[in-house]
Amino acid sequence: NAGVTQTPKFRILKIGQSMTLQCTQDMNHNYMYWYRQDPGMGLKLIYYSVGAGITDKGEVPNGYNVSRSTTEDFPLRLELAAPSQTSVYFCATASGGNTGELFFGEGSRLTVL
Amino acid sequence: EDQVTQSPEALRLQEGESSSLNCSYTVSGLRGLFWYRQDPGKGPEFLFTLYSAGEEKEKERLKATLTKKESFLHITAPKPEDSATYLCAGSSGYSTLTFGKGTMLLVSP
């Protein structure tokens, strides 16, 4: 089992470009999350999903969009990239809503220049 | 607003020198307090869940405890392989976690 797979691992974008960070899981977990991690800061929740077809905003959703058409996939879309979106992005899954035991991918490092 | 504060920001220990990391939290309707370990360039890895004051969990050289306002991660006789950033997080539902900034632990041989 691969667990949680994120692609790409690294990406450089120019200001104003758009891109999609991919996240796929083979754990059959209903709950999926996108966090961003900036140096010296805690992980911040961007969006989450409690199942296919259901998404909700986290703490820092501005500038991002998500969709959840299948259990396995939870892509994060960046529209009109800005330098403030330079960060490491982590996708995570959980088997339920009360476990708090999240399984993280290895991260996608994004730089916007 | 939910808040999780960890201290110290960084801690350097000699191998075998025991210590504790602190996590204080203000999370409305706390449904759990969680500890994670994060190695450089990797995603966080789950360590412990604590649900109620007085609860303790242990794993090898690590022991996590919880009071009504804070949690401690005690490290007994650490080894260099325990070097990592330790993250504390609280949840008020849907497993959406509010993370602290972490404590970077370095254990020297």
Side-chain angles (χ1 to χ4, degrees), chain A residues 31 33 35 37 40-45 48 50 59 90 94 96-107 109, chain B residues 1-2 31 34 36 38 41-46 48-49 51 85 87 91 93-102:
Chain A
Y31 290 73
Y33 309 85
Y35 283 89
Q37 187 175 41
M41 303 297 291
L43 288 146
K44 300 292 185 184
L45 182 63
Y48 69 102
V50 302
E59 185 180 357
F90 288 99
N98 288 316
T99 74
E101 182 179 353
L102 270 55
F103 296 84
F104 283 84
E106 298 227 324
R109 183 177 293 274
Chain B
E1 181 183 331
D2 295 344
R31 296 193 179 186
F34 311 94
Y36 283 78
Q38 186 174 23
K42 302 288 186 182
E45 180 182 348
F46 172 80
F48 301 112
T49 302
Y51 287 112
T85 296
L87 304 173
S91 175
Y94 296 111
S95 289
T96 55
L97 303 185
T98 299
F99 282 88
K101 295 180 182 181

Side-chain angles (χ1 to χ4, degrees), chain A residues 31-80:
Chain A
Y31 290 73
M32 295 188 75
Y33 309 85
W34 276 105
Y35 283 89
R36 61 177 286 175
Q37 187 175 41
D38 300 312
M41 303 297 291
L43 288 146
K44 300 292 185 184
L45 182 63
I46 305 171
Y47 271 96
Y48 69 102
S49 169
V50 302
I54 306 169
T55 62
D56 208 348
K57 296 178 181 178
E59 185 180 357
V60 289
N62 291 344
Y64 306 95
N65 276 302
V66 294
S67 60
R68 184 94 182 273
S69 56
T70 67
T71 299
E72 294 79 19
D73 299 304
F74 191 40
L76 178 71
R77 177 85 178 159
L78 282 72
E79 303 283 0
L80 299 174

Side-chain angles (χ1 to χ4, degrees), chain A residues 37, chain B residues 6 8-13 21 35-47 61-62 73 75 78-88 101-108:
Chain A
Q37 187 175 41
Chain B
Q6 293 188 244
E9 291 184 7
L11 180 63
R12 185 164 188 160
L13 300 174
L21 313 182
W35 284 96
Y36 283 78
R37 170 190 170 128
Q38 186 174 23
D39 293 304
K42 302 288 186 182
E45 180 182 348
F46 172 80
L47 290 173
R61 295 174 292 282
L62 301 177
L73 185 65
I75 304 174
K79 298 182 177 182
E81 53 262 41
D82 294 321
S83 297
T85 296
Y86 290 87
L87 304 173
C88 174
K101 295 180 182 181
T103 294
M104 185 182 303
L105 174 67
L106 178 62
V107 182
S108 303

Side-chain angles (χ1 to χ4, degrees), chain B residues 17-18 30 33 35 65 69 82 93 108:
Chain B
E17 180 187 1
S18 301
L30 184 76
L33 191 291
W35 284 96
T65 61
K69 292 186 177 180
D82 294 321
S108 303

